[in-house]
Amino acid sequence: MKKFSVLAILASALMSFSCGSTKKVITSESVNPYGKAVVSEPCIELYEQAPYKRAYGNGQHFKEATARNIAELQARAMFARKIEAAVLAATEDMGVSLEKYAADDQSGRSVTDQSGEGNDLAMSIAQQVIRNTHTIKTTRYLKSNNQFTVFVCMEYAGDENTLVDDIEQNVKDRISQDDRAKIEQRHNQFRQRILGNLKE
């Protein structure tokens, strides 16, 4: 009788243990309503640590060098768009006009054509600034069809003060004397607006 009751207790304990572990597996798989978590990509993680001075891109091609070139172009474009948006927001706040300004004589002259001149100038400034970027991380993947996927993380070669200095100087070089004076009068506010937009 003792033997039977000990066996019954053991069997009951094993059943409850196995049922409990089955429940945990089922529960853990069905808890996340968003789906399966995506594996983290190192270049994207690196970008997220300092998004104001970094950008990332990825490219796919059967030649690794071409995939890398595509990834670098994508990263530079991402960084340029962020700088362009920061310049447009900061100059608008200051009441600074981003129009072509030709200072080829003593008085200088402005040239406008009502066709998105400010956006073009902001992008031109961004293109100048991103020349000072370099790749800090590359990851490569090879698919079963022998196609490469390459991720890159690119970074501005300098700290946040150097980056804002570079942007500010490029803006001042391309605007009228009056608008340059506005930026100089509200220098700190302009810099904070640029940096704030880059960090968004």
Side-chain angles (χ1 to χ4, degrees):
M1 187 73 171
K2 277 186 181 177
K3 200 179 223 179
F4 176 73
S5 58
V6 169
L7 284 173
I9 292 169
L10 269 168
S12 143
L14 283 172
M15 281 182 65
S16 65
F17 176 75
S18 64
C19 288
S21 64
T22 304
K23 275 185 182 174
K24 283 180 187 169
V25 171
I26 291 167
T27 305
S28 68
E29 287 177 356
S30 60
V31 165
N32 188 349
Y34 307 111
K36 191 176 178 181
V38 177
V39 176
S40 187
E41 212 301 310
C43 288
I44 297 174
E45 279 186 340
L46 200 56
Y47 155 75
E48 288 171 344
Q49 292 168 13
Y52 68 93
K53 67 171 190 169
R54 291 180 184 158
Y56 73 91
N58 73 80
Q60 293 184 348
H61 201 273
F62 289 99
K63 290 183 179 175
E64 184 182 349
T66 304
R68 182 190 170 102
N69 287 341
I70 293 167
E72 287 178 352
L73 285 170
Q74 200 178 80
R76 283 192 178 96
M78 178 189 192
F79 198 29
R81 283 191 304 272
K82 286 198 303 187
I83 293 170
E84 178 189 16
V87 166
L88 288 171
T91 53
E92 188 178 316
D93 278 0
M94 300 285 143
V96 170
S97 173
L98 280 181
E99 59 186 32
K100 277 188 182 168
Y101 184 78
D104 57 358
D105 56 28
Q106 286 187 341
S107 60
R109 67 184 190 280
S110 67
V111 183
T112 56
D113 64 3
Q114 308 292 321
S115 64
E117 195 83 38
N119 289 8
D120 291 346
L121 191 57
M123 183 47 79
S124 167
I125 290 164
Q127 293 296 334
Q128 186 68 31
V129 172
I130 65 168
R131 289 181 181 181
N132 201 16
T133 59
H134 62 281
T135 300
I136 58 169
K137 176 88 176 158
T138 304
T139 52
R140 301 166 192 82
Y141 304 93
L142 184 61
K143 293 183 178 178
S144 56
N145 65 353
N146 289 325
Q147 186 180 45
F148 287 94
T149 298
V150 177
F151 279 82
V152 298
C153 179
M154 301 190 81
E155 182 177 75
Y156 179 82
D159 62 11
E160 67 182 47
N161 286 325
T162 310
L163 173 59
V164 176
D165 284 345
D166 198 355
I167 294 170
E168 182 181 16
Q169 193 56 54
N170 271 283
V171 170
K172 285 160 84 173
D173 287 348
R174 289 171 166 81
I175 57 177
S176 70
Q177 200 66 34
D178 289 344
D179 284 334
R180 197 174 304 145
K182 287 180 191 176
I183 289 177
E184 285 165 359
Q185 285 166 5
R186 297 162 68 190
H187 172 73
N188 288 336
Q189 187 180 340
F190 182 76
R191 292 173 65 83
Q192 287 305 314
R193 188 75 169 113
I194 290 282
L195 193 56
N197 277 280
L198 289 174
K199 288 185 174 181
E200 285 179 357

